[in-house]
Amino acid sequence: MTNLNDKLVIRQLGRSDYEPIWHKMQDFTDRRNDDTVDELWVVEHNPVFTQGQAGKEEHLLNTGGIPVIKVDRGGQVTYHGPGQLVVYLLLNLRRRKIGVRELVTQIEQSIVDLLAQFDIEAYPKKDAPGVYVDQKKIASLGLRVRKGCSFHGLALNVDMDMEPFLRINPCGYAGLEMVQSNQIGGPSHVSDAADRLTKILALSLNAKDIEITQGITDLEQRLVEKNDEQN
């Protein structure tokens, strides 16, 4: 019998506005069942500030013409833009017998392992989720769990315009300095970072049967098929 925890779909979405992908994540999570294969969604977003459930207005300093979207993940405010690798983890934690804290640790360690391939010493902080290099933040995390399943995920700064981070208190920390991997000898292209990081994440999830797919056109059909099987 096939172990569904061995399977993983890596869905490459290219560059997209934030809101449509967010709503697709919600829909996927709401409609998935115990037979739905877990997925990683890889995307670059057009410029946007996202404010988590704990978000406070005082952390938005001068957003200018960049939209601000209040979302259902944990955490405060962050920025997404082209040149930043975003990976969303749509996982059945209950089936995998993984707790949220364990998942956060796995994500952070995966980013640490990626940067170690470039001899960069990165580390997480217990009191401030994410990954840091020399006290500067290089990756942010924000998750939501619904029906025992996770969505949202991580954002790794690779090769982007960092100026918008100065318009906010990143993750709710005034004066927190952000850094990106191409400044410190790490991956200089999102595609390279994505390939490396998804392999590390798949390994940490013990996924042996990996399917890589482009775009989101088949997603609806997958969900319909799974619900038909259940009924």
Side-chain angles (χ1 to χ4, degrees), residues 98-126:
I98 298 175
V100 178
R101 181 63 250 180
E102 184 180 351
L103 176 60
V104 169
T105 299
Q106 284 187 13
I107 295 170
E108 291 172 332
Q109 188 59 48
S110 294
I111 298 167
V112 169
D113 291 346
L114 163 65
L115 295 172
Q117 294 178 1
F118 295 83
D119 297 321
I120 297 168
E121 186 176 344
Y123 53 91
K125 289 183 177 181
K126 285 186 179 179

Side-chain angles (χ1 to χ4, degrees), residues 10-115:
I10 298 176
R11 188 175 295 279
Q12 298 174 339
L13 301 178
R15 183 168 163 179
S16 173
D17 286 342
Y18 180 87
E19 205 155 4
I21 302 299
W22 170 37
H23 292 314
K24 287 286 186 184
M25 280 195 291
Q26 292 175 314
D27 185 55
F28 179 92
T29 303
D30 288 341
R31 296 175 58 189
R32 67 179 299 168
N33 59 38
D34 288 340
D35 296 322
T36 303
V37 174
D38 288 339
E39 300 200 4
L40 303 182
W41 292 6
V42 181
V43 63
E44 286 179 75
H45 284 306
N46 294 319
V48 65
F49 295 111
T50 63
Q51 196 172 18
Q53 289 180 308
K56 296 179 180 178
E57 295 298 320
E58 67 248 35
H59 296 308
L60 301 169
L61 306 179
N62 179 25
T63 55
I66 299 175
V68 179
I69 299 177
K70 294 184 178 182
V71 299
D72 54 353
R73 61 164 172 79
Q76 290 277 347
V77 64
T78 194
Y79 170 72
H80 300 303
Q84 181 189 66
L85 169 62
V86 175
V87 181
Y88 294 127
L89 295 95
L90 296 106
L91 309 175
N92 188 327
L93 303 185
R94 191 161 44 208
R95 186 173 66 206
R96 290 183 176 276
K97 297 181 171 58
I98 298 175
V100 178
R101 181 63 250 180
E102 184 180 351
L103 176 60
V104 169
T105 299
Q106 284 187 13
I107 295 170
E108 291 172 332
Q109 188 59 48
S110 294
I111 298 167
V112 169
D113 291 346
L114 163 65
L115 295 172

Side-chain angles (χ1 to χ4, degrees), residues 50-213:
T50 63
Q51 196 172 18
Q53 289 180 308
K56 296 179 180 178
E57 295 298 320
E58 67 248 35
H59 296 308
L60 301 169
L61 306 179
N62 179 25
T63 55
I66 299 175
V68 179
I69 299 177
K70 294 184 178 182
V71 299
D72 54 353
R73 61 164 172 79
Q76 290 277 347
V77 64
T78 194
Y79 170 72
H80 300 303
Q84 181 189 66
L85 169 62
V86 175
V87 181
Y88 294 127
L89 295 95
L90 296 106
L91 309 175
N92 188 327
L93 303 185
R94 191 161 44 208
R95 186 173 66 206
R96 290 183 176 276
K97 297 181 171 58
I98 298 175
V100 178
R101 181 63 250 180
E102 184 180 351
L103 176 60
V104 169
T105 299
Q106 284 187 13
I107 295 170
E108 291 172 332
Q109 188 59 48
S110 294
I111 298 167
V112 169
D113 291 346
L114 163 65
L115 295 172
Q117 294 178 1
F118 295 83
D119 297 321
I120 297 168
E121 186 176 344
Y123 53 91
K125 289 183 177 181
K126 285 186 179 179
D127 58 339
V131 177
Y132 300 78
V133 177
D134 294 331
Q135 298 299 316
K136 301 171 185 176
K137 193 166 192 177
I138 194 167
S140 302
L141 273 66
L143 294 169
R144 177 72 188 271
V145 176
R146 185 184 295 169
K147 301 195 308 181
C149 298
S150 66
F151 58 110
H152 293 289
L154 68 93
L156 173 66
N157 306 329
V158 179
D159 180 19
M160 61 189 298
D161 178 8
M162 301 291 280
E163 187 275 337
F165 282 114
L166 301 176
R167 304 186 191 189
I168 59 173
N169 291 328
C171 308
Y173 291 94
L176 175 63
E177 192 171 348
M178 306 294 286
V179 70
Q180 55 186 334
S181 63
N182 75 334
Q183 294 176 317
I184 55 175
S188 57
H189 299 285
V190 169
S191 58
D192 180 33
D195 182 59
R196 292 171 182 268
L197 186 55
T198 52
K199 286 177 180 175
I200 295 169
L201 287 167
L203 186 64
S204 76
L205 294 167
N206 297 312
K208 303 173 182 67
D209 182 0
I210 299 170
E211 175 190 347
I212 299 176
T213 187

